[in-house]
């Protein structure tokens, strides 16, 4: 009996001593915020869906995403640019592109969740169209994560797509941002030469694939439609298939940057996903 009690006491001490490392901070994504980086409308949806909904107005959103990770904050896409917030009528679209409005600056939305632009370690953009790179220079110290093919894509104005002094990592394919598999840039060319998407593995929500403009809205995704302005139709189709395969592999949701209906069902900053 006595040896049983002693044994139990020893066992109890042993068990009590166990959960030491359970209090270590989580070494993975902590939070993902969806920020409203623009709202727009375009006169003819068929610019994005050739032959479908010709002449029908298209309403879109332009979301940005802030991801908190123990090794640093990552901004995914930067929206239309905070200067648009001061334009009462918004910034008019050219050649059928959306007219963009901005209700609140990105800087103000970041401040609301306790962040200054200098707190951002990485800025990754899906591509270099103006509704995605509008605020890149709000973060002059942040490391740009961009495909080399996009960085070097000749611009219509004959100038660089980024300021040459902005720190940049020019990627050639997929990239595991923090080396732990939690945030992975995926090469998804076609909309532009170096388009990329982002796979984020959230501890509670699960895996989420942020589309960029590999697809613009759900109906185009379901029907695998390719907008007429994309630089490469075959590569766009291949990228969509690759995304579908990776979503199946990771049980990932698809969050479509410009899809207004989907966006209205999602929580926006200061609320977040974890
Ligand atoms: Zn876009």
């Amino acid at each position: 009996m006595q040896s049983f009690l002693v044994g139990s006491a020893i066992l109890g001490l042993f068990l009590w001593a166990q959960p030491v490392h359970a209090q270590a901070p989580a070494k993975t994504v902590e939070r993902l915020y969806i920020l409203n980086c623009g709202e727009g409308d375009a006169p003819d949806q068929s610019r994005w869906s050739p032959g479908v909904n010709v002449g029908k107005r298209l309403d879109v959103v332009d979301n940005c995403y802030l991801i908190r990770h123990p090794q640093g904050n990552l901004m995914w896409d930067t929206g239309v640019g905070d200067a648009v917030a001061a334009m009462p009528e918004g910034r008019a679209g050219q050649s059928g592109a959306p007219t963009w409005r901005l209700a609140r600056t990105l800087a103000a939305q970041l401040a609301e969740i306790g962040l200054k632009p200098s707190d951002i370690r990485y800025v990754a953009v899906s591509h270099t169209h103006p509704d995605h790179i509008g605020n890149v220079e709000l973060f002059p110290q942040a490391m740009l994560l961009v495909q080399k093919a996009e960085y070097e894509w000749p611009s219509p104005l004959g100038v660089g797509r980024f300021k040459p002094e902005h720190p940049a990592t020019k990627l050639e394919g997929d990239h595991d941002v923090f080396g732990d598999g939690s945030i992975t840039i995926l090469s998804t060319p076609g909309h532009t030469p170096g388009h990329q998407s982002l796979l984020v593995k959230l501890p509670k929500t699960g895996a989420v694939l942020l589309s960029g403009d590999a697809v613009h809205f759900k109906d185009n995704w379901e029907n695998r439609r390719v907008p007429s302005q994309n630089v490469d139709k075959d590569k766009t189709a291949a990228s969509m298939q690759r995304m579908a395969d990776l979503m199946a592999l990771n049980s990932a949701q698809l969050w479509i940057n410009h899809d207004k209906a989907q966006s209205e069902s999602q929580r926006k900053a200061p609320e977040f996903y974890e």
Side-chain angles (χ1 to χ4, degrees):
M1 185 68 185
Q2 195 174 14
S3 68
F4 172 77
L5 284 173
V6 170
S8 296
I10 291 169
L11 185 66
L13 280 170
F14 181 72
L15 290 174
W16 180 78
Q18 277 301 294
V20 172
H21 54 260
Q23 291 168 1
K27 288 178 180 167
T28 187
V29 176
E30 294 166 340
R31 294 177 173 192
L32 182 152
Y33 293 92
I34 304 177
L35 304 149
N36 175 350
C37 286
E39 292 168 82
D41 62 87
D44 184 353
Q45 188 206 292
S46 69
R47 185 176 189 266
W48 291 270
S49 54
V52 176
N53 287 329
V54 177
K56 187 181 170 195
R57 171 185 158 125
L58 177 68
D59 290 298
V60 290
V61 294
D62 191 28
N63 288 334
C64 298
Y65 306 84
L66 186 283
I67 304 162
R68 299 204 66 147
H69 185 282
Q71 293 181 52
N73 298 309
L74 180 143
M75 189 80 221
W76 172 250
D77 275 338
T78 69
V80 297
D82 282 354
V84 176
M87 303 174 188
E89 306 295 318
R91 188 173 69 206
Q94 309 287 326
S95 314
T99 290
W100 290 112
R101 297 170 298 280
L102 182 62
R104 282 178 72 214
T105 64
L106 174 57
Q109 293 178 69
L110 289 174
E112 189 182 21
I113 57 173
L115 292 172
K116 305 181 293 296
S118 59
D119 294 326
I120 308 303
R121 180 174 178 190
Y122 293 114
V123 170
V125 292
S126 58
H127 65 298
T128 52
H129 283 157
D131 51 319
H132 299 263
I133 59 166
N135 283 315
V136 163
E137 290 309 322
L138 184 63
F139 312 98
Q141 85 298 332
M143 175 60 72
L144 274 169
L145 300 176
V146 61
Q147 296 293 317
K148 185 168 181 272
E150 191 77 9
Y151 194 95
E152 296 177 351
W153 184 27
S155 86
L157 301 171
V159 296
R161 288 174 181 268
F162 297 99
K163 286 193 171 179
E165 65 270 28
H166 199 126
T169 302
K170 297 168 196 170
L171 306 171
E172 296 181 78
D174 298 351
H175 178 62
D176 180 350
V177 176
F178 293 107
D180 62 1
S182 65
I183 304 178
T184 308
I185 290 174
L186 302 173
S187 170
T188 51
H191 181 60
T192 61
H195 187 280
Q196 53 190 15
S197 303
L198 194 72
L199 182 64
V200 185
K201 292 179 181 169
L202 289 157
K204 290 183 184 164
T205 306
V208 172
L209 179 57
L210 305 179
S211 65
D213 285 8
V215 60
H216 290 78
F217 40 87
K218 185 166 172 266
D219 193 44
N220 267 10
W221 172 254
E222 288 171 349
N223 293 283
R224 295 290 192 272
R225 293 195 196 102
V226 178
S228 55
Q229 79 271 22
N230 281 20
V231 298
D232 190 312
K233 185 173 180 176
D234 291 342
K235 283 186 179 173
T236 307
S239 289
M240 283 196 272
Q241 186 57 49
R242 180 167 192 239
M243 291 163 67
D245 292 345
L246 287 169
M247 285 165 58
L249 194 65
N250 292 283
S251 304
Q253 306 174 47
L254 179 63
W255 288 6
I256 304 177
N257 177 82
H258 286 307
D259 190 304
K260 182 173 178 176
Q262 183 184 47
S263 182
E264 284 175 345
S265 72
Q266 295 173 318
R267 300 196 286 275
K268 301 298 175 337
E271 292 184 74
F272 54 85
Y273 290 86
E274 59 186 350

